[in-house]
Amino acid sequence: MHRFAKPSVFLKFTDPVLPWLAGVTALLIATGLYFALFASPIDYQQGDTVRIMYIHVPAAWMGLFCYVGMAICGAMSLIWKHPLADICARATAPIGATFTALCLITGSLWGEPMWGTWWVWDARLTSMLILLFLYLGYIALVNAFDDPERGSKAGSALALIGAVNVPIVKFSVDWWNTLHQPASIVRMDGPSVDPSMQVPLALMILGFTCYYFVVLILRVRLELNERRIRALQLSGMFDQRSDQDSNNEQNYDAGHNAEAKP
Amino acid sequence: MSGFMAVLQRDLRLALRQGADSVMVVAFFIVTTTLFPFGVGPEANILARIASGVIWVSALLAAMLSLERIFQADFEDGTLELLALSPVSMEMLVLGKVLAHWLTTGLPLIIAAPLMAVMLNMDQSGFVTLMIAMLLGTPALSLIGAIGAALILGARRGGVLVSLLVLPLYIPILIFGAGAVEAAQLGMSATEHLQIMGAILLLTLAATPFATAHAVRLAIE
Amino acid sequence: MSEFFAMGGYGSYIWGSYAITAIAMIALLVATLRGLRASRIERQQLEAVLQSRRPRKNKKADKTS
């Protein structure tokens, strides 16, 4: 039989944490939004558009954070064969993909007014796009198998390979960019960040990270439920078969009784 | 080593008997390359400018197209499980299969590439570099692609999936391969690019057989 | 107030990016919660069905014994 991660243990640990974590997330994002939209100065060069930074940078951070998390889960699944590691990696992928996509979209919305273009083949943008492809590949691979456990294992291997590849891609893309483009005017990190901007930035990064853990816990529960359902369905099928057998027996008995009665 | 040679010989013999595989890959490569002049227009300058990139992208796609056959047929008829039972290590067997794949796809592509370079009006100064870069790059394509091919064993819609998995991993080879040719055409030294491609080849040669073997074991487990 | 919403002329970009982020994050959360509820209901139903089935079998076993 498959070794299941013990759902009861996971629930016992996360049940008391979850409401607090959700509250902290809401609080962090709410105060972060207040600072980001009202209480932070406008940039002398970029004007109000600098406010996009407060979601763009945290989204980029989350995209990378989630990938590192997936790779660590992949390594843990490879070394200790702990089923929960596979489930965590699987649950992380959609969150990471969402944030990576958000990073690209908000970056575009920031780039249009500032650089005059939605998209530049800049090293950072390109490597972020490749990261999104890696996420999509992982999600497609994990869902391509009839047996979800086989999918998760293949996915863990892929996450690990991708993690090795990400620095290489980053490095090659950096080089590719400097070869083809003259010293870039494009600067994603903008001017050195003022303390008054650090506050909303830090709040939003923390808030997004907490949001990730809330959704992660929920998604792991979802995954555990689905595994349980599959196990029940399998045992149910066996039961049904044995039920049919016993029904036949019953009919047989009934037939005997009917014969015996008269 | 004997297991390695046995697998290599067997795969080569199979590929030669069927014959069509290598021809198909080269045909795909030529057809894809031919599409570009229709897309961007037949001006010689533009074609010469994009030739190295077009050749590399087409070679990438052609190599990817043939990845499925490294393991798929052997997985379906159970050969892979028998191979796993043999005392030879899976890594060696994988390496033999990858080498066979490269000999039947990468090598024909290298031979076909100068032909397409001429047709795309590529500057002659880039020819030698193109050949060397492809000689270094295509084995790495086969090695990396084998991981993808092993990961998708038993999956639904494996063919489409393998391209989604492998393409992001191919990007460095594309960048440095096309970069080397471009540097040579501009009269600069392509040595740096070629050295990096050599480093990528050595790295993939050392690391990917383990990853591929692991993926194969997952599939036949 | 309208000045605040205009954001120095970049309102559509700024509010657009905040809106997209909010929509995506809320959608992900809602999708997860709905999936979780659906899976919980399905699991409980299955558990109930299997529970109701097993004792019956036991009873029958009792009868026959």
Side-chain angles (χ1 to χ4, degrees):
Chain A
M1 256 328 262
H2 308 290
R3 290 167 305 152
F4 292 108
K6 284 212 186 71
S8 56
V9 176
F10 185 79
L11 287 178
K12 205 176 79 188
F13 273 108
T14 56
D15 245 354
V17 180
L18 192 58
W20 289 100
L21 201 58
V24 169
T25 308
L27 201 67
L28 279 170
I29 291 182
T31 47
L33 278 177
Y34 169 74
F35 276 105
L37 291 172
F38 300 95
S40 67
I42 57 169
D43 187 73
Y44 72 99
Q45 262 185 325
Q46 309 207 3
D48 271 306
T49 50
V50 77
R51 300 194 194 283
I52 294 179
M53 178 179 77
Y54 303 126
I55 47 174
H56 174 72
V57 172
W61 153 253
M62 288 313 298
L64 294 171
F65 177 83
C66 288
Y67 200 84
V68 171
M70 261 168 63
I72 292 172
C73 286
M76 280 171 33
S77 131
L78 202 66
I79 297 165
W80 291 298
K81 307 242 181 304
H82 197 289
L84 204 56
D86 280 333
I87 296 177
C88 278
R90 205 186 172 124
T92 300
I95 313 175
T98 306
F99 277 117
T100 310
L102 280 176
C103 169
L104 290 172
I105 294 168
T106 55
S108 255
L109 284 167
W110 194 3
E112 221 291 317
M114 286 298 102
W115 313 331
T117 172
W118 297 101
W119 182 262
V120 190
W121 289 95
D122 167 79
R124 280 209 181 168
L125 275 75
T126 312
S127 39
M128 219 50 193
L129 185 65
I130 296 167
L131 186 67
L132 182 64
F133 291 158
L134 283 173
Y135 274 122
L136 295 182
Y138 174 91
I139 293 171
L141 178 68
V142 155
N143 290 318
F145 293 91
D146 292 326
D147 174 12
E149 228 160 309
R150 159 91 177 92
S152 300
K153 277 182 186 156
S156 292
L158 181 70
L160 214 53
I161 295 158
V164 177
N165 199 62
V166 162
I168 300 176
V169 170
K170 181 82 186 79
F171 167 67
S172 62
V173 166
D174 275 342
W175 220 36
W176 164 70
N177 183 50
T178 51
L179 269 184
H180 280 240
Q181 282 186 340
S184 177
I185 43 158
V186 169
R187 279 204 42 184
M188 297 283 288
D189 37 13
S192 60
V193 180
D194 192 71
S196 60
M197 293 178 176
Q198 279 171 7
V199 174
L201 203 54
L203 283 171
M204 291 302 271
I205 288 177
L206 277 175
F208 277 26
T209 312
C210 288
Y211 168 87
Y212 160 72
F213 281 110
V214 170
V215 178
L216 177 72
I217 290 172
L218 293 173
R219 289 196 81 88
V220 169
R221 286 190 180 180
L222 170 64
E223 208 68 48
L224 288 172
N225 270 349
E226 265 164 13
R227 290 203 174 196
R228 177 89 181 120
I229 288 169
R230 265 174 55 81
L232 286 175
Q233 278 170 341
L234 283 176
S235 72
M237 276 187 326
F238 285 119
D239 275 8
Q240 249 167 12
R241 192 177 287 167
S242 58
D243 267 11
Q244 270 171 5
D245 290 349
S246 57
N247 279 345
N248 289 345
E249 254 170 59
Q250 222 173 358
N251 293 341
Y252 180 77
D253 286 352
H256 265 277
N257 289 347
E259 260 175 45
K261 256 186 188 167
Chain B
M1 209 57 200
S2 63
F4 171 80
M5 287 309 289
V7 167
L8 176 62
Q9 278 171 359
R10 171 183 169 275
D11 275 25
L12 280 180
R13 200 170 295 142
L14 278 176
L16 290 179
R17 288 266 167 78
Q18 288 162 355
D21 283 341
S22 298
V23 179
M24 288 283 268
V25 169
V26 174
F28 178 85
F29 171 68
I30 291 174
V31 169
T32 319
T33 320
T34 317
L35 285 178
F36 280 87
F38 295 115
V40 297
E43 282 123 287
N45 293 339
I46 298 178
L47 289 180
R49 169 75 187 75
I50 62 169
S52 63
V54 167
I55 288 173
W56 265 104
V57 170
S58 307
L60 220 83
L61 293 176
M64 207 175 62
L65 195 72
S66 59
L67 284 177
E68 233 185 329
R69 72 155 201 261
I70 303 182
F71 296 116
Q72 191 66 39
D74 285 349
F75 174 71
E76 277 164 6
D77 66 11
T79 313
L80 217 49
E81 283 176 50
L82 288 178
L83 285 176
L85 289 174
S86 74
V88 187
S89 74
M90 184 55 87
E91 284 79 5
M92 262 314 183
L93 298 176
V94 162
L95 220 47
K97 280 188 147 314
V98 170
L99 184 57
H101 176 258
W102 179 72
L103 287 173
T104 51
T105 61
L107 214 51
L109 284 180
I110 296 175
I111 295 164
L115 179 70
M116 296 324 288
V118 171
M119 286 177 73
L120 290 174
N121 197 32
M122 197 171 105
D123 196 68
Q124 298 218 332
S125 55
F127 273 43
V128 179
T129 318
L130 176 69
M131 300 281 276
I132 299 173
M134 285 194 81
L135 208 57
L136 290 170
T138 46
L141 293 183
S142 294
L143 283 163
I144 297 173
I147 306 177
L151 279 176
I152 55 132
L153 289 175
R156 283 168 267 137
R157 294 183 304 277
V160 190
L161 191 55
V162 76
S163 48
L164 195 57
L165 300 185
V166 161
L167 271 188
L169 306 180
Y170 274 178
I171 286 170
I173 299 170
L174 175 61
I175 288 174
F176 292 116
V181 181
E182 198 150 315
Q185 279 180 319
L186 293 174
M188 295 189 288
S189 162
T191 324
E192 267 181 79
H193 286 86
L194 294 177
Q195 279 172 344
I196 291 185
M197 290 194 79
I200 292 178
L201 175 58
L202 289 178
L203 196 73
T204 49
L205 190 62
T208 59
F210 296 100
T212 312
H214 173 70
V216 169
R217 278 189 220 108
L218 282 182
I220 56 179
E221 199 163 63
Chain C
M1 198 62 193
S2 64
E3 203 173 295
F4 169 70
F5 281 109
M7 284 281 175
Y10 299 120
S12 53
Y13 297 109
I14 296 170
W15 292 115
S17 50
Y18 274 81
I20 287 173
T21 309
I23 290 169
M25 285 171 73
I26 291 169
L28 185 65
L29 186 66
V30 168
T32 306
L33 284 172
R34 286 178 76 167
L36 187 61
R37 200 172 57 193
S39 72
R40 188 178 293 147
I41 290 169
E42 194 181 348
R43 194 197 71 196
Q44 281 166 351
Q45 279 174 348
L46 269 172
E47 272 168 355
V49 167
L50 290 177
Q51 287 266 305
S52 65
R53 212 184 263 166
R54 283 210 176 102
R56 201 190 67 205
K57 240 163 53 179
N58 290 347
K59 244 185 265 166
K60 213 161 58 190
D62 285 345
K63 250 189 225 166
T64 48
S65 62

